[in-house]
Amino acid sequence: MCETMIEVCNLRKSFGTNEILKGINLTVKKGEKVVIIGPSGSGKSTFLRCLNFLEIPTSGTVKIDGHYFAKPNEKLNEKHIAALRTEIGMVFQRFNLFPTMTAIENVMAAQIKIRKKSKEAARETAEKYLKKVGLSERMHYYPSQLSGGQQQRVAIARALAMEPKAMLFDEATSALDPELVGEVLNVIRELADEGMTMVLVTHEMKFAKEVADRIIFMDGGVIVEEGHPQEFFSNPKEERTKAFIKKVEH
Amino acid sequence: MNLLEKLDFSTAFRELSPILMEGLGIVLASTLCGFSLALLLGTFIALGRISKYFLLNKVLVVLLEIVRGTPLLVQLVYMYYVVPLIITLIGQLWDPSYRFTLSPFMAGVIGLGINYGCYLSEVIRSAIISVDKGQFEAALALGYTNRQAMWLIIIPQAVRIALPTFGNYIIMMIKDTSLLAFITVSELLLRTQAYASQTFLTIESYTILALAYLVLSLPLAQIVRIMEKRLKRHV
């Protein structure tokens, strides 16, 4: 049994001549909650997207629960990448629910097509996770009939229904009206308490402090500093970190 | 002289409408087959144009330019008279007794299908491009392959966006089936021509023909409008 869930080794990513990620190493243990913060343009979202190969790294490796997306210098295998992505749930800033499907159909679709579950089994799982995010009564609504917070909770249920080994949250509350942020954070907090491995990119500093086992501060495509949240916020070591914390805590 | 006295709409209507009714089946069949072929071709051309294969893309652009740069009527005549000859010539390289023929109806359906397929491909392509990129990423993140994401998530949404435009193209195609008269398909125009030249009821015959096309296309236009409203609900 391997204790490491996500292992990133010397990851680099360039868009054209513009190098966004400049060699990142990170290990996330099973059950660990890692929060990535940093100024906009620091590469934190790109990094998160590299963790499930939505962005293909220019060099370096990503290993999920002992499996490489692609071994060093190996050709990309689309089927293998897709299969490995199934093991990692991802929640997007803009929800990205499928608009032609109701909430429950959104949660069922990939279970049936990708996990090859029967319709009945998929429905049962979908109902379980929609209940978990508190949307049992709305499961036959279309995304356009749901509020942002409700849509995001369906998106979380959709990811969870694949029973992933880890979850990635890409600024999951940034597109929400302030009064809807709480309901989504509550769901994420509950997941954290259940021991789900997760990596979050967020601007919610209070939430980061509360839920994180480890905070990672990125700037300019590198990890500037990382540490335990208490230590990190009260006693930052790097100048850039200090300046950032001062700015966000005004 | 009273002009109206010289017109005999009742006779023309009585005699011509059964003839037109017989031709209606051909109009509907050629539209249905032609449009199905056009949808199939249009989808594959659109996917080819979106794909990253440079050469395929260029070949398709050349095809599109040829089809859009020549009249449909010329294409239909070419498909009926020329294409079978070319295939026959090529076939005779192996078997001197080889002969390839295409029925007027088949030639018409293929001609309409290719022509409309090229125009529809642009509709489909822009519909696919207009689906939010986040949809594709969400599907990939759930473990869909590129192809699955395209066919199961993106294309169903693109279809909803394109459907009203498809409706308009179907109406256009119904009207364009009149061109099949020139390759001897006995659709409405050819039947009307035959009747008018026998009876000299020229004004009456062609007026009835025009009305017949209106009767076909107006209800369809209404259906398209209703469909457009219904589909807009959730996208």
Side-chain angles (χ1 to χ4, degrees):
Chain A
M1 167 117 178
C2 138
E3 284 301 306
T4 304
M5 183 56 80
I6 302 173
E7 195 178 335
V8 181
C9 190
N10 200 21
L11 184 99
R12 288 172 183 275
K13 174 70 185 175
S14 305
F15 293 103
T17 54
N18 189 7
E19 192 169 46
I20 305 292
L21 300 175
K22 299 170 181 165
I24 294 189
N25 294 292
L26 177 72
T27 305
V28 180
K29 292 195 288 273
K30 277 188 180 153
E32 195 180 14
K33 293 116 193 83
V34 174
V35 173
I36 304 173
I37 60 173
S40 58
S42 57
K44 53 192 193 304
S45 269
T46 306
F47 175 59
L48 195 74
R49 291 157 57 80
C50 283
L51 294 183
N52 68 351
F53 259 51
L54 273 188
E55 284 320 333
I56 310 288
T58 311
S59 68
T61 57
V62 179
K63 233 189 204 178
I64 303 294
D65 201 18
H67 301 283
Y68 282 107
F69 270 106
K71 293 201 179 85
N73 302 320
E74 190 188 37
K75 212 169 158 262
L76 298 177
N77 176 336
E78 203 209 328
K79 287 223 168 86
H80 169 71
I81 291 173
L84 204 45
R85 275 187 192 132
T86 312
E87 307 300 329
I88 318 160
M90 184 159 194
V91 176
F92 298 86
Q93 183 177 356
R94 289 180 49 243
F95 332 134
N96 297 344
L97 290 180
F98 306 135
T100 53
M101 304 179 193
T102 61
I104 191 160
E105 287 166 354
N106 262 282
V107 183
M108 288 167 66
Q111 294 185 64
I112 295 168
K113 293 292 176 200
I114 310 301
R115 288 283 195 213
K116 306 289 180 207
K117 282 195 194 173
S118 73
K119 232 178 172 171
E120 292 71 37
R123 183 178 306 276
E124 207 172 299
T125 312
E127 280 171 2
K128 176 176 130 195
Y129 284 105
L130 282 170
K131 186 170 174 216
K132 187 183 175 73
V133 300
L135 284 172
S136 289
E137 308 84 60
R138 307 252 155 173
M139 60 188 181
H140 297 299
Y141 285 46
Y142 282 92
S144 59
Q145 299 167 317
L146 298 171
S147 74
Q150 289 167 339
Q151 286 188 54
Q152 191 61 298
R153 285 187 282 152
V154 174
I156 293 172
R158 178 174 72 175
L160 289 176
M162 301 300 279
E163 320 215 286
K165 293 174 176 166
M167 289 280 286
L168 310 176
F169 291 87
D170 188 5
E171 301 191 22
T173 58
S174 297
L176 295 175
D177 291 336
E179 74 270 23
L180 301 178
V181 169
E183 62 188 68
V184 173
L185 291 186
N186 282 338
V187 169
I188 300 176
R189 193 178 288 122
E190 197 181 315
L191 264 181
D193 292 342
E194 286 167 12
M196 172 67 79
T197 310
M198 37 195 193
V199 182
L200 306 96
V201 169
T202 185
H203 294 297
E204 301 282 336
M205 292 303 150
K206 213 174 125 249
F207 179 70
K209 227 182 277 187
E210 177 191 334
V211 81
D213 295 319
R214 184 154 45 121
I215 303 266
I216 288 182
F217 175 65
M218 277 181 71
D219 193 12
V222 293
I223 293 178
V224 176
E225 184 168 351
E226 57 182 298
H228 189 271
Q230 237 64 46
E231 177 77 8
F232 179 89
F233 281 105
S234 55
N235 191 16
K237 292 178 189 67
E238 301 286 331
E239 279 312 313
R240 272 194 282 181
T241 319
K242 283 178 194 163
F244 179 75
I245 290 173
K246 209 169 166 189
K247 239 186 247 163
V248 295
E249 291 195 332
H250 34 222
Chain B
M1 187 170 73
N2 190 343
L3 184 68
L4 284 173
E5 262 173 28
K6 292 202 126 194
L7 294 178
D8 188 0
F9 268 100
S10 66
T11 309
F13 186 78
R14 202 180 54 243
E15 289 174 0
L16 184 56
S17 53
I19 299 175
L20 289 184
M21 284 305 275
E22 278 169 37
L24 193 65
I26 291 174
V27 170
L28 295 180
S30 54
T31 305
L32 205 70
C33 299
F35 204 79
S36 307
L37 180 62
L39 274 181
L40 205 68
L41 274 175
T43 306
F44 283 106
I45 294 173
L47 289 176
R49 294 259 282 130
I50 289 169
S51 79
K52 48 187 186 290
Y53 302 109
F54 183 77
L55 195 69
L56 177 65
N57 208 324
K58 285 285 163 255
V59 169
L60 291 174
V61 170
V62 170
L63 174 74
L64 288 185
E65 291 304 335
I66 291 174
V67 169
R68 287 191 297 193
T70 53
L72 174 56
L73 183 55
V74 172
Q75 290 164 19
L76 289 172
V77 169
Y78 202 86
M79 185 58 70
Y80 182 51
Y81 293 106
V82 183
V83 169
L85 285 181
I86 294 175
I87 295 177
T88 300
L89 277 180
I90 295 171
Q92 282 174 349
L93 291 178
W94 287 273
D95 175 9
S97 64
Y98 180 80
R99 243 185 86 75
F100 182 83
T101 53
L102 212 49
S103 75
F105 180 80
M106 277 304 288
V109 164
I110 295 171
L112 282 173
I114 292 175
N115 181 277
Y116 273 71
C118 287
Y119 286 100
L120 284 185
S121 76
E122 289 295 288
V123 176
I124 296 168
R125 193 170 74 101
S126 65
I128 289 174
I129 290 171
S130 73
V131 175
D132 182 13
K133 206 168 143 266
Q135 293 289 315
F136 200 77
E137 292 189 340
L140 291 186
L142 285 166
Y144 288 72
T145 60
N146 281 313
R147 181 170 302 186
Q148 286 173 321
M150 182 56 88
W151 283 98
L152 299 172
I153 304 297
I154 303 301
I155 289 190
Q157 292 181 47
V159 165
R160 275 170 195 243
I161 295 167
L163 219 53
T165 320
F166 287 172
N168 289 327
Y169 275 95
I170 290 184
I171 295 168
M172 277 168 61
M173 192 184 269
I174 286 187
K175 294 180 287 180
D176 277 346
T177 57
S178 61
L179 295 173
L180 301 187
F182 290 87
I183 55 170
T184 73
V185 177
S186 68
E187 45 63 72
L188 305 187
L189 176 59
L190 197 65
R191 285 163 186 268
T192 309
Q193 271 174 342
Y195 178 77
S197 62
Q198 283 163 20
T199 59
F200 301 106
L201 295 170
T202 310
I203 297 178
E204 298 87 333
S205 304
Y206 289 106
T207 307
I208 291 169
L209 173 67
L211 288 173
Y213 278 112
L214 270 178
V215 167
L216 279 176
S217 52
L218 285 183
L220 257 175
Q222 192 59 34
I223 292 173
V224 169
R225 262 191 291 274
I226 294 168
M227 228 165 51
E228 196 168 358
K229 250 186 222 150
R230 283 181 58 99
L231 286 169
K232 263 194 187 151
R233 280 184 314 183
H234 298 303
V235 182

